[in-house]
Structure formats: structure tokens, C-alpha cells
Amino acid sequence: LNKHVWFHENSRGTLYSAVRVSFAMSYWKSLGEKYPPAKEKLFSLRDAAENSLLDGKGGAIDFSEVAAVNQTYAQEEKTTELFQKLADKSPGTAKECVFFARDPLLKQKKYQLYLKFAPSPDWLYENWERLWNLDASNSNKDNQKTTRTIALNNIRLLIEALVGTDQMDKALEFQKKALELTQDKSLESA
């Protein structure tokens, strides 16, 4: 447990930040299943990060930590609830944290809340299109396939959010562009 806590505290804001909120969380969960004080400690760190955000002292790193714990324990509705509180209390912080809130918000069909704080739909679409094209000359077909799957899934989520907020013209525009770009027929039902 002490090693998990040490890594969690010392990897904050470093190159290991992604490991901190992904692999390390799953290892910590496994430990918590065998040793309940580990789970309690992880939840107390999550709660401290949430309190820091609500007190106006926290930022995106704190939110990513809360979201990662909630995802690890299938409590994503708590991430959405926290984001809603931030949206009401501190819109600037919510804007900073929307990247980490996107999946829970869209999963719970909180499209309006997501799009209020996300970058513009045009900017988002252009980013995912660039990602699609990024590996066009890559000879590693596995990497290209993975990158394109990520881009396609994100384009699909963006279209879903636009449809969910009655922005049909923009959704149809992106659907048409994405179909031309990807030739993926699954987008016809997006």
C-alpha cells in the first residue's frame, strides 16, 4: 500500500501521469480486493481531490484522478455529478476538465453539458480527421488501424452529441465528411 501511495503522490504531473490513472489504478484495485485498507485509502485520495476541486484549489490533474478512480470502480455517474457541480460553481475549471469528463458525460447522454465546455465541434472534428490522416503513410498497419479506430470512434461520439442536442445540420455535415474520409459504412447509422 505504501508503494502505491508513494507512486500516486510522486508521479503527479510527471511523465508517469497516464500510468498513474490507468495501470496503477487497476493494480491498486487488485490490492484493495485483497486488502480493504488499500481501497479505503484510494477512495480517501479521490475524495480529497474532489474536495480540492470544489474548494476552488484543484484543476485538471485532480479531476483526472477522480475520474480514473470512478472509472476503475464503475462509478462514472460520480464523475458526471462532480462535473455538473464544477460547471455550476467554477465554469473555468469545468472547461479545463471537460476532456476527462467526456466519456461519462456522453455515456449518460449529457450532450448539452459536454458541448457547453468542449472545444467547438469544428475544432474537434478537424482534430479527429487529422488523427485519421496522421498514419496514412505509416507502414505499420497495426498502428494505423489502432489510430484510425480511435479517430473513427471519436468522430462517431461527436456526431452522437450533435444529434443529441438537435444540431442535425452539423451532425450531417460531419457524417458526410467522415464517410468520404473513412469509407466506413457504420457511420451511415451515426
Side-chain angles (χ1 to χ4, degrees), residues 26-108:
S26 63
Y27 297 146
W28 202 327
K29 182 180 180 187
S30 294
L31 177 62
E33 290 168 355
K34 298 174 189 123
Y35 182 65
K39 180 179 178 180
E40 292 168 17
K41 181 63 176 177
L42 182 59
F43 281 5
S44 76
L45 290 170
R46 177 200 57 193
D47 295 346
E50 183 172 335
N51 289 334
S52 179
L53 283 158
L54 294 173
D55 290 343
K57 299 174 187 161
I61 292 173
D62 297 293
F63 195 93
S64 71
E65 181 177 306
V66 171
V69 174
N70 290 340
Q71 181 181 7
T72 300
Y73 284 92
Q75 298 177 347
E76 290 162 314
E77 70 283 349
K78 290 184 178 201
T79 301
T80 299
E81 290 168 12
L82 174 59
F83 189 80
Q84 181 65 64
K85 289 176 186 175
L86 288 176
D88 295 340
K89 188 175 183 176
S90 179
T93 303
K95 190 168 189 71
E96 182 183 322
C97 299
V98 72
F99 173 80
F100 302 106
R102 185 196 73 171
D103 290 349
L105 288 171
L106 295 182
K107 186 176 181 181
Q108 295 170 43

Side-chain angles (χ1 to χ4, degrees), residues 6 87 110 135 183:
W6 181 91
K110 303 286 186 179
D135 279 340
Q183 310 297 308

Side-chain angles (χ1 to χ4, degrees), residues 153-164:
N153 288 339
N154 281 288
I155 289 169
R156 192 176 286 114
L157 286 171
L158 176 58
I159 292 169
E160 179 185 324
L162 292 167
V163 169

Side-chain angles (χ1 to χ4, degrees), residues 7-39:
F7 180 77
H8 188 78
E9 292 173 348
N10 288 284
S11 61
R12 184 180 175 93
T14 70
L15 294 174
Y16 293 103
S17 290
V19 172
R20 179 177 182 266
V21 294
S22 59
F23 297 111
M25 287 289 162
S26 63
Y27 297 146
W28 202 327
K29 182 180 180 187
S30 294
L31 177 62
E33 290 168 355
K34 298 174 189 123
Y35 182 65
K39 180 179 178 180

